[in-house]
């Protein structure tokens, strides 16, 4: 019996080894720019750590995904007509539009203007898509590499089309689509949907692409392809979200990039310490907004000057004339380390998901100045949870900003609520980054869900069970025969 047990445990161990560890796969990535990339990079670096091979499919026009530098990532570059400068110009135009122009127009006018910008941008995305899927040698090369999984940021559509053409299972990683339309409709969340015209335009493009060049295949739409995602990694968690229905292949991994604070650079630490009992305020409008109109920068600076706190402001524009002695301007801030500093009292933020999560992680109350994309939605969540006060970027006065800051610093409920969110955030059995990577590896191991290796594993389990039962039967039979013989002799 002992021998049989050893056998069985060896078989079981072998099975778990094949499934559980020592698996190195190939990951193909369809990224997006800006904060999206910074977030995705955390996941990709963890995949590298676990010895997977990571290849990033990027357009030559990118300005964050630096494929020129030597890197542990592999790059497949899609060469397009525009260069990095054009991309930067277009981003700056978008910022000007969203921050300065649109708020001065009526809702209808600004929607029209934004639609125009969006359609133009769609044309650029379409070029990248065409240069990827129509390049037979590129597609063949990707096909031959036999990737195990694709990780896609679907904000720039086309990743799902590449995955479909290559026949690779894929994982979507996003914060949200406007009104959660794509998640609800394409990801089949059980809620009635409204499909936006903006996206139907993209869907049409994808449909035509497929019809014209891959005729043996059944044409597909953007949404149909998106719906084939094995897993959706959503960049929020229940510290941030309100209860809502979702499917089991949605994983909420908000704050996966957050880490405990590291010590600050000496000079910055001295400045922070000089604040004494009053503490400091951290101010950043994110990686995209680099400068403000002079008049606006001036009344922000004059509001900050009236605080007893010291202020660290990430700002690249011209130094405002009204800048107070308590305020220091920096090109760049170690934001996570500052938010984790015991002297930090408040965070003034544009409301990007990454920054909000760093504040939740460290339990810091916020003043939100949302501008575009998911920022207003993010701040609305924080406001509803009692951890933030919102000020309107376009209509605010110095007094508004100052009173918002005083509220979050001196009304204890804001700090308490921020700490409550922080406790919820930290109260998870598995860290968000580990969960994100686990589900990507899960898809790699099981090739989606209904694949042969899963069936193989189940068959092996059945075989083990049959083997054990047979052994047991044989053993009992032998025993019965032996006792029978003994009885006869007696
Ligand atoms: C197609 O892809 C190959 C391999 O990545 C690349 O060398 C080539 O320049 C591409 N062709 C075009 C027309 O973009």
């Amino acid at each position: 019996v002992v021998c049989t047990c050893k056998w069985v445990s060896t078989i079981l161990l072998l099975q778990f080894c094949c499934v559980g560890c020592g698996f190195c796969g190939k990951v193909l990535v369809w990224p997006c720019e800006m904060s999206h990339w910074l977030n995705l990079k955390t996941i990709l670096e963890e995949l590298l750590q676990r010895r997977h091979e990571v290849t990033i499919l990027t357009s030559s026009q990118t300005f964050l995904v630096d494929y020129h530098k030597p890197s542990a990532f592999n790059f497949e570059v899609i060469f397009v007509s525009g260069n990095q400068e054009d991309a930067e110009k277009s981003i700056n135009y978008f910022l000007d539009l969203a921050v300065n122009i649109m708020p001065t127009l009526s809702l209808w006018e600004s929607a029209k203007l934004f639609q125009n910008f969006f359609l133009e941008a769609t044309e650029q995305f379409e070029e990248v898509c065409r240069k990827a899927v129509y390049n037979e040698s590129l597609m063949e090369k990707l096909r031959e590499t036999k990737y195990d999984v694709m990780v896609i940021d679907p904000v720039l559509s086309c990743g799902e089309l590449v995955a479909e053409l290559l026949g690779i299972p894929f994982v979507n990683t996003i914060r949200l689509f406007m009104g959660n339309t794509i998640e609800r409709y394409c990801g089949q969340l059980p809620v009635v949907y409204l499909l936006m015209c903006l996206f139907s335009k993209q869907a049409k493009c994808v449909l035509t692409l497929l019809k014209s060049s891959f005729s043996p295949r059944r044409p597909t739409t953007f949404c149909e392809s998106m719906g084939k995602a094995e897993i959706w990694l959503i960049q929020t968690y229940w510290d941030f979200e309100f209860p809502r229905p979702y499917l089991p292949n949605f994983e909420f991994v908000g704050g996966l990039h957050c880490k405990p604070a590291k010590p600050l650079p000496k000079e910055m630490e001295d400045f922070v310490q000089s604040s004494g009992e009053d503490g400091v305020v951290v101010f950043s409008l994110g990686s995209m907004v680099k400068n403000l109109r002079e008049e606006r920068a001036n009344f922000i600076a004059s509001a900050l000057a009236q605080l007893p706190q010291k202020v660290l402001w990430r700002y690249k524009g011209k130094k405002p004339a009204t800048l107070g002695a308590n305020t220091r301007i920096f090109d760049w801030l170690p934001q996570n380390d500052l938010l984790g500093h015991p002297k930090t009292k408040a965070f003034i933020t544009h409301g990007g998901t990454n920054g909000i999560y760093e504040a939740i992680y460290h339990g810091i109350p916020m003043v939100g100045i949302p501008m575009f994309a998911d920022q207003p939605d993010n701040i609305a969540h924080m406001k509803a949870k009692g951890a933030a006060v919102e000020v309107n970027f376009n209509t605010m006065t110095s007094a508004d900003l100052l009173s918002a800051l005083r509220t979050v610093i001196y009304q204890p409920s804001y700090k308490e609520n921020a700490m409550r969110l922080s406790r919820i955030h930290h109260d998870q059995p598995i860290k968000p980054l580990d969960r994100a990577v686990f589900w990507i590896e899960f898809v790699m191991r099981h090739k989606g869900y209904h694949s042969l290796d899963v069936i193989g594993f189940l068959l092996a389990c059945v075989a083990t069970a049959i083997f054990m039962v047979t052994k047991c039967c044989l053993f009992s039979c032998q025993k019965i025969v032996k006792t029978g013989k003994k009885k006869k002799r007696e």
Side-chain angles (χ1 to χ4, degrees):
V1 176
V2 171
C3 181
T4 322
C5 280
K6 258 193 190 156
W7 248 100
V8 172
S9 55
T10 316
I11 294 174
L12 284 178
L13 208 71
L14 271 175
Q15 282 176 8
F16 279 114
C17 264
C18 301
V19 174
C21 61
F23 176 86
C24 302
K26 292 180 191 153
V27 184
L28 184 62
V29 184
W30 183 272
C32 179
E33 291 285 347
M34 268 79 72
S35 52
H36 292 264
W37 165 242
L38 299 179
N39 196 294
L40 181 58
K41 209 166 123 201
T42 314
I43 301 180
L44 302 182
E45 275 162 0
E46 184 62 27
L47 284 169
L48 279 183
Q49 284 273 316
R50 301 193 190 194
R51 311 217 180 165
H52 299 295
E53 208 180 294
V54 178
T55 305
I56 296 164
L57 198 52
T58 179
S59 128
S60 58
Q61 212 186 24
T62 173
F63 59 88
L64 255 190
V65 187
D66 195 348
Y67 59 88
H68 298 291
K69 269 201 216 132
S71 154
F73 299 126
N74 302 323
F75 290 101
E76 280 298 340
V77 181
I78 306 160
F79 289 94
V80 292
S81 50
N83 56 24
Q84 259 143 310
E85 265 165 41
D86 296 333
E88 211 155 344
K89 241 186 245 160
S90 140
I91 289 281
N92 287 337
Y93 173 67
F94 166 75
L95 282 176
D96 197 37
L97 196 66
V99 177
N100 299 319
I101 302 174
M102 272 167 53
T104 61
L105 303 173
S106 71
L107 198 61
W108 176 244
E109 287 286 320
S110 66
K112 251 183 15 198
L113 210 58
F114 187 71
Q115 165 105 351
N116 283 344
F117 170 80
F118 195 88
L119 292 181
E120 234 167 72
T122 304
E123 260 161 44
Q124 284 170 20
F125 303 153
E126 220 182 294
E127 187 196 350
V128 178
C129 195
R130 224 184 276 119
K131 293 242 159 104
V133 300
Y134 282 144
N135 185 333
E136 262 314 311
S137 71
L138 176 67
M139 290 303 275
E140 197 47 44
K141 191 171 159 196
L142 295 176
R143 203 170 284 127
E144 273 168 9
T145 314
K146 293 204 177 2
Y147 290 97
D148 297 293
V149 69
M150 242 181 114
V151 178
I152 295 174
D153 187 329
V155 168
L156 297 188
S157 64
C158 194
E160 70 294 324
L161 180 59
V162 173
E164 170 127 25
L165 293 172
L166 297 176
I168 309 172
F170 66 97
V171 173
N172 279 333
T173 153
I174 52 167
R175 155 71 181 95
L176 89 170
F177 275 97
M178 272 176 269
N180 294 110
T181 38
I182 305 292
E183 299 94 304
R184 291 194 317 224
Y185 175 47
C186 312
Q188 284 132 46
L189 282 193
V191 181
V192 180
Y193 66 91
L194 277 170
L195 190 61
M196 290 190 319
C197 57
L198 298 179
F199 286 102
S200 67
K201 170 106 182 177
Q202 285 191 334
K204 214 167 83 196
C205 129
V206 170
L207 189 74
T208 356
L209 264 176
L210 268 181
K211 258 193 194 146
S212 52
S213 63
F214 306 98
S215 44
R217 282 170 186 274
R218 198 172 66 83
T220 183
T221 63
F222 167 64
C223 196
E224 244 177 60
S225 299
M226 285 279 289
K228 290 182 185 157
E230 304 292 338
I231 304 282
W232 297 65
L233 298 175
I234 309 293
Q235 308 297 352
T236 58
Y237 185 63
W238 303 106
D239 41 25
F240 174 101
E241 289 284 353
F242 300 115
R244 59 188 172 93
Y246 66 94
L247 292 180
N249 63 336
F250 278 63
E251 270 296 308
F252 290 77
V253 293
L256 57 82
H257 69 292
C258 296
K259 285 186 201 116
K262 291 192 297 290
L264 299 173
K266 170 92 176 56
E267 211 179 317
M268 200 178 275
E269 177 67 29
D270 290 345
F271 180 65
V272 169
Q273 289 301 341
S274 73
S275 68
E277 285 287 289
D278 290 315
V280 299
V281 171
V282 181
F283 179 14
S284 167
L285 295 180
S287 52
M288 282 172 79
V289 178
K290 298 216 170 77
N291 52 56
L292 304 168
R293 290 202 172 155
E294 200 170 328
E295 139 248 347
R296 201 164 284 153
N298 266 323
F299 64 64
I300 287 178
S302 77
L304 299 175
Q306 293 169 59
L307 287 171
Q309 281 78 21
K310 296 267 159 104
V311 182
L312 295 97
W313 182 3
R314 177 190 169 155
Y315 187 58
K316 273 196 173 159
K318 191 169 145 254
K319 188 174 153 183
T322 54
L323 197 74
N326 68 334
T327 309
R328 240 182 237 182
I329 286 179
F330 297 87
D331 259 12
W332 177 84
L333 289 176
Q335 191 170 286
N336 184 55
D337 304 334
L338 273 168
L339 292 175
H341 197 285
K343 287 236 181 272
T344 301
K345 301 287 182 207
F347 178 37
I348 312 175
T349 172
H350 64 306
T353 317
N354 289 345
I356 290 228
Y357 260 98
E358 285 165 13
I360 291 179
Y361 186 93
H362 297 293
I364 301 294
M366 291 161 254
V367 169
I369 315 180
M371 284 176 277
F372 51 85
D374 58 343
Q375 298 161 10
D377 187 63
N378 294 343
I379 295 297
H381 279 247
M382 289 300 99
K383 226 170 92 181
K385 307 251 175 191
V389 168
E390 179 179 348
V391 289
N392 185 316
F393 182 68
N394 298 292
T395 58
M396 71 174 175
T397 59
S398 278
D400 293 337
L401 181 59
L402 187 62
S403 114
L405 275 164
R406 288 200 172 129
T407 308
V408 301
I409 296 172
Y410 296 112
Q411 273 188 26
S413 72
Y414 287 91
K415 178 68 184 178
E416 280 159 21
N417 287 326
M419 288 306 292
R420 188 172 53 84
L421 297 186
S422 179
R423 281 194 298 275
I424 294 173
H425 180 80
H426 288 278
D427 197 358
Q428 307 187 42
I430 305 171
K431 289 204 184 98
L433 179 58
D434 291 334
R435 267 188 297 129
V437 171
F438 170 81
W439 285 111
I440 293 169
E441 287 185 328
F442 181 92
V443 173
M444 292 164 84
R445 285 193 294 264
H446 305 299
K447 304 274 175 293
Y449 221 79
H450 320 280
S451 63
L452 288 180
D453 51 351
V454 179
I455 295 167
F457 175 72
L458 293 178
L459 279 180
C461 288
V462 172
T464 314
I466 292 176
F467 177 75
M468 276 167 75
V469 170
T470 326
K471 270 282 177 191
C472 284
C473 280
L474 280 178
F475 179 75
S476 339
C477 287
Q478 274 172 358
K479 215 158 191 189
I480 290 166
V481 171
K482 264 186 200 161
T483 12
K485 271 182 187 166
K486 244 188 222 166
K487 265 192 189 154
K488 247 186 201 169
R489 235 179 280 146
E490 274 166 12

